[in-house]
Amino acid sequence: MIRVLVGPPCAGKSTYIAEHAEPGDTIVDFDALAKAFGSTAHHDTPLSMRRVVHAARHAAITQILMGRVENAWIIDTDPTRMMKAQYRRAGAEIVLLDPGLADCLQRAAEDNRPDWTADQIRRWYRMRKTA
């Protein structure tokens, strides 16, 4: 089973996976990958490293969608139409986490997220209204 976690920054996607994934499940989480590649920034991966992490994330998702693993969790904050179609073709379950704008902004502040996080949270909600 492939599960794709969708939702704004600070919605609790990584927490949800930590609470529901089984040992041995494949987890594709940009922030966890960034740490694995050496990022020490709290949710603020340097640009040069971000390119490497994006490439690794893309490769992992490709393998998952090809059926290389049985159980996988993918964090995709705001999947494109093309990615949604690919997830559907692979039989993925889309799990939307949406605690609300105010809760996400509060979580971002409490977790000392980078300044740009609040703008990304607002953007996610703004884009949902226009979709």
Side-chain angles (χ1 to χ4, degrees):
M1 171 55 89
I2 301 168
R3 291 174 188 87
V4 180
L5 278 286
V6 175
C10 300
K13 298 177 296 291
S14 297
T15 301
Y16 184 95
I17 291 172
E19 293 171 354
H20 293 88
E22 298 290 331
D25 286 358
T26 299
I27 299 170
V28 181
D29 178 335
F30 184 91
D31 295 322
L33 285 169
K35 284 184 181 182
F37 279 103
S39 179
T40 57
H42 181 59
H43 297 278
D44 200 15
T45 306
L47 179 60
S48 60
M49 187 179 291
R50 213 170 20 232
R51 291 183 180 120
V52 173
V53 176
H54 276 295
R57 180 181 177 279
H58 176 76
I61 291 171
T62 298
Q63 293 299 303
I64 290 166
L65 295 178
M66 290 172 60
R68 306 271 190 211
V69 298
E70 270 188 51
N71 294 304
W73 299 82
I74 300 169
I75 293 177
D76 194 337
T77 297
D78 195 16
T80 64
R81 276 189 209 166
M82 184 178 79
M83 285 309 301
K84 287 178 188 176
Q86 288 182 27
Y87 293 144
R88 278 193 298 274
R89 279 194 298 274
E93 174 187 350
I94 306 294
V95 179
L96 173 64
L97 295 180
D98 181 1
L101 175 63
D103 283 352
C104 290
L105 291 172
Q106 182 178 350
R107 291 174 185 182
E110 289 171 354
D111 193 34
N112 295 316
R113 295 286 181 106
D115 292 338
W116 53 262
T117 306
D119 289 339
Q120 290 301 309
I121 292 168
R122 287 185 189 95
R123 179 189 168 282
W124 190 90
Y125 280 99
R126 199 170 44 252
M127 296 306 288
R128 299 280 298 178
K129 287 181 183 176
T130 61

